[in-house]
Amino acid sequence: MRSSSCRLLVIILCCLLGLVQISLASKVRHFRWEVGYMFWSPDCVENVVMGINGQFPGPTIRAKAGDTIVVHLTNKLHTEGVVIHWHGIRQFETPWADGTASISQCVINPEETFVYRFKVDKAGTYFYHGHYGMQRSAGLYGSLIVDVADGEKDPFHYDGEFSLLLSDWWHKNVHDQAVGLSSNPFRWIGEPQSILINGRGQYNCSLAAHVSNTSSSLCSLRGDAQCAPHVLHVQPNKTYRLRIASTTSLSSLNLAIGHHKMILVEADGNYIKPVAVDNIDIYSGESYSVLFTTDQNPSTNYWISATVRGRHPQTPPGLTILNYHPNSPSIPTSAPPVSPAWDDYGYSKSFSNKIIALQGSPKPPIRRDRQIILLNTQNKINGFNKWSINNISLVLPATPYLGSIKFGLKGAFDHQGPPDNFSRNYDIMKPPMNPNSTQGSGVYTIHFNSIVDVILQNANAMAANVSEIHPWHLHGHDFWVLGYGEGKFSEKDAKRLNLKNPPLRNTVVIFPYGWTAIRFVADNPGVWAFHCHIEPHLHMGMGVIFSEAVERIKKIPEEAIACGLTGKMLMHNHGG
């Protein structure tokens, strides 16, 4: 008996010691940021960009799994509010730190400071970006890298690593873009002028030609030029990890390294079964890690290129230089790698289907509790062009959902929930017979810990023979991607879903005239956006809201929700 008691005591002491070690290893990392506009030349043409602490893109956050991030964010924009979303961070127990205006928090007004405090619980490649209006298009974004915790290891080896943050850039400012999208007649934003890699691109110049170092050169490639291609300096015969994240506002991209193979090992912060590829398709909101080995001619420099997919390309590729030591980082003599045809959707679908979970990864529950089928359509509302989900175009309320649901406010948003399905008679292959839609701010209320399937169903837009790619991002969760398919989803498709080794993601694409099925566990109390990650599509209403066990949330910081009806109620309760 005494021996058993001693063994139990030893086990308890070891567990306590382990907890102490974890606590000591985890750190609280503080950042003080000011967001403001500034002049910059991302693609060799000076323009106004949104930066942080005078930097574009914003500062990179680097932490370890288990660390707590504290960002003191001060708004120096003077005439508009701001929030920042920490893309891919699930925000367990901190839903108010998700950084979604009118959903999880009030906008941060000019000269105000809001403190984001949250834990990064899972290693992976992430990023952050503005989530108010179209501020991501203005340049408000940066990288967020979470390394494995001390004592842990990635399931693959590498000698060094780099990060590439992909984005697109317009010379027309975001306010002009937003007004055009909300005008009648409708004014589309057009294709971007440049693809940026780590904030650098080249507009209206040929990198293949020798470029003078004179001040008159539009596209100077000197290292001090803000638009000079980023350079990755490598040693021969080494293996490198390349972290790639896309915060594009519109563009789907294909990335390749000239003459080098890649091995995919991570997707959206989750390990996947390693797969060798020549290039990768990456949609807005997605992130990957690839491994590549420097086994090519070390006396040569190579291009890394990012080219447009899914839209007829009118934008030159984004370019970065891979430079072998000890060569100087000069312009590569070979042309950038050739990407697949922009409309080769078969190639894109094949690539997506190659991504499966690493053995030992969490598997999805076998059965669902609820199925929600979301039909993406382009519509008209009072003559204005909109995007709708199940014939409702999302409009966000003045009062953040998180506060109004927590306090049971009436009239803050539409209390009739949107439909779980659409008419099965709808022909997804043709423009809508009746293009008229309606606006709404209702939410899908989901039971805590329930298993939810969402079927994203694509359709024809208002113009004939047009169906677009839409990458969808879910806040507050990872989900299993159970499958992709053609045409209209049916119960026959449901029986063929992958429950064996589906990958965990936070962003997934739906292809033209097709469907995508995902499954997630509603285990994170909060109010979470689920939306197309293409900036103008969200601006035009392509999104839904999930409310999950808000009653379980403990005290919400007043500064997160003290605006609109919630703010008035809080002031009343405190005698204001």
Side-chain angles (χ1 to χ4, degrees), residues 231-275:
V231 179
L232 308 187
H233 301 281
V234 296
Q235 300 279 346
N237 300 312
K238 300 288 185 181
T239 296
Y240 291 89
R241 179 180 189 170
L242 185 61
R243 298 178 182 266
I244 309 157
S246 176
T247 185
T248 56
S249 296
L250 173 66
S251 307
S252 303
L253 300 173
N254 181 270
L255 185 131
I257 308 174
H259 300 280
H260 291 72
K261 294 270 190 182
M262 295 181 284
I263 300 176
L264 272 170
V265 292
E266 177 218 345
D268 295 352
N270 295 284
Y271 297 125
I272 61 174
K273 182 178 179 180
V275 56

Side-chain angles (χ1 to χ4, degrees), residues 266-300:
E266 177 218 345
D268 295 352
N270 295 284
Y271 297 125
I272 61 174
K273 182 178 179 180
V275 56
V277 293
D278 294 320
N279 49 65
I280 66 169
D281 279 344
I282 182 167
Y283 303 95
S284 178
E286 292 186 329
S287 64
Y288 291 105
S289 282
V290 301
L291 303 179
F292 70 95
T293 300
T294 50
D295 55 3
Q296 298 300 300
N297 183 351
S299 63
T300 302

Side-chain angles (χ1 to χ4, degrees), residues 365 367-371 449-453 519-522:
R367 293 179 179 83
R368 68 172 190 257
D369 298 311
R370 183 177 180 183
Q371 182 186 73
N449 273 335
S450 61
I451 313 304
V452 181
D453 279 10
R519 178 169 294 179
F520 69 95
V521 181

Side-chain angles (χ1 to χ4, degrees), residues 81 100 123 128 253 366 467 575:
T100 47
Y128 61 85
L253 300 173
I366 297 299
S467 184

Side-chain angles (χ1 to χ4, degrees), residues 31 43 64 66 97 159 299 354 368 387 429 446 452 494 506 529 549:
F31 303 87
D43 63 354
K64 293 184 178 180
D159 301 301
S299 63
K354 289 178 182 177
R368 68 172 190 257
W387 286 96
M429 305 303 294
I446 298 175
V452 181
N506 62 56

Side-chain angles (χ1 to χ4, degrees), residues 5 9 57 73 252 404 426-427 515 517 556:
S5 299
L9 181 60
L73 188 76
S252 303
S404 56
Y426 190 96
D427 188 346
W515 56 263
I556 302 171

Side-chain angles (χ1 to χ4, degrees), residues 400-413:
Y401 288 106
L402 188 64
S404 56
I405 294 174
K406 175 69 175 177
F407 291 102
L409 299 184
K410 295 182 179 179
F413 61 92

Side-chain angles (χ1 to χ4, degrees), residues 39-362:
F39 289 109
W40 205 264
S41 301
D43 63 354
C44 308
V45 177
E46 188 176 71
N47 216 314
V48 173
V49 306
M50 194 174 285
I52 298 174
N53 294 350
Q55 289 182 236
F56 169 77
T60 295
I61 289 180
R62 188 127 204 171
K64 293 184 178 180
D67 286 353
T68 297
I69 304 296
V70 183
V71 178
H72 301 255
L73 188 76
T74 301
N75 181 2
K76 291 292 185 179
L77 295 174
H78 303 304
T79 58
E80 60 188 288
V82 70
V83 297
I84 288 185
H85 168 56
W86 315 95
H87 188 107
I89 306 302
R90 294 174 293 180
Q91 301 293 351
F92 284 114
E93 298 185 348
T94 54
W96 52 83
D98 190 46
T100 47
S102 295
I103 301 171
S104 64
Q105 71 168 109
C106 306
V107 296
I108 307 165
N109 289 318
E111 298 304 325
E112 286 184 348
T113 297
F114 182 83
V115 180
Y116 290 100
R117 185 183 184 96
F118 55 90
K119 180 176 284 189
V120 289
D121 65 311
K122 186 160 61 74
T125 304
Y126 308 103
F127 58 98
Y128 61 85
H129 60 81
H131 214 293
Y132 178 56
M134 294 179 63
Q135 291 178 344
R136 177 157 52 97
S137 293
L140 184 53
Y141 46 74
S143 294
L144 197 171
I145 307 300
V146 182
D147 293 307
V148 294
D150 288 335
E152 301 290 329
K153 288 184 178 181
D154 289 305
F156 43 81
H157 168 78
Y158 53 96
D159 301 301
E161 74 167 68
F162 303 98
S163 294
L164 298 181
L165 187 62
L166 311 180
S167 56
D168 38 17
W169 183 248
W170 284 257
H171 293 165
K172 180 190 293 186
N173 71 60
V174 294
H175 303 292
D176 286 351
Q177 292 182 39
V179 170
L181 294 171
S182 305
S183 295
N184 186 9
F186 178 71
R187 297 187 185 184
W188 177 239
I189 63 172
E191 301 304 309
Q193 275 65 62
S194 307
I195 301 300
L196 308 183
I197 302 181
N198 290 349
R200 299 167 178 234
Q202 295 75 41
Y203 172 72
N204 197 26
C205 65
S206 172
L207 287 175
H210 174 73
V211 180
S212 159
N213 283 336
T214 63
S215 59
S216 62
S217 171
L218 174 64
C219 297
S220 172
L221 301 183
R222 294 177 303 176
D224 60 348
Q226 292 172 340
C227 61
H230 197 69
V231 179
L232 308 187
H233 301 281
V234 296
Q235 300 279 346
N237 300 312
K238 300 288 185 181
T239 296
Y240 291 89
R241 179 180 189 170
L242 185 61
R243 298 178 182 266
I244 309 157
S246 176
T247 185
T248 56
S249 296
L250 173 66
S251 307
S252 303
L253 300 173
N254 181 270
L255 185 131
I257 308 174
H259 300 280
H260 291 72
K261 294 270 190 182
M262 295 181 284
I263 300 176
L264 272 170
V265 292
E266 177 218 345
D268 295 352
N270 295 284
Y271 297 125
I272 61 174
K273 182 178 179 180
V275 56
V277 293
D278 294 320
N279 49 65
I280 66 169
D281 279 344
I282 182 167
Y283 303 95
S284 178
E286 292 186 329
S287 64
Y288 291 105
S289 282
V290 301
L291 303 179
F292 70 95
T293 300
T294 50
D295 55 3
Q296 298 300 300
N297 183 351
S299 63
T300 302
N301 290 309
Y302 301 89
W303 287 119
I304 299 176
S305 70
T307 53
V308 173
R309 299 276 281 130
R311 307 181 68 86
H312 194 285
Q314 302 172 36
T315 309
L319 296 169
T320 284
I321 296 173
L322 183 68
N323 167 238
Y324 276 67
H325 180 81
N327 304 319
S328 61
S330 57
I331 299 297
T333 55
S334 58
V338 177
S339 63
W342 70 272
D343 57 353
D344 186 350
Y345 297 117
Y347 188 97
S348 301
K349 294 170 186 176
S350 174
F351 173 80
S352 295
N353 282 309
K354 289 178 182 177
I355 299 171
I356 59 176
L358 183 68
Q359 187 174 0
S361 299

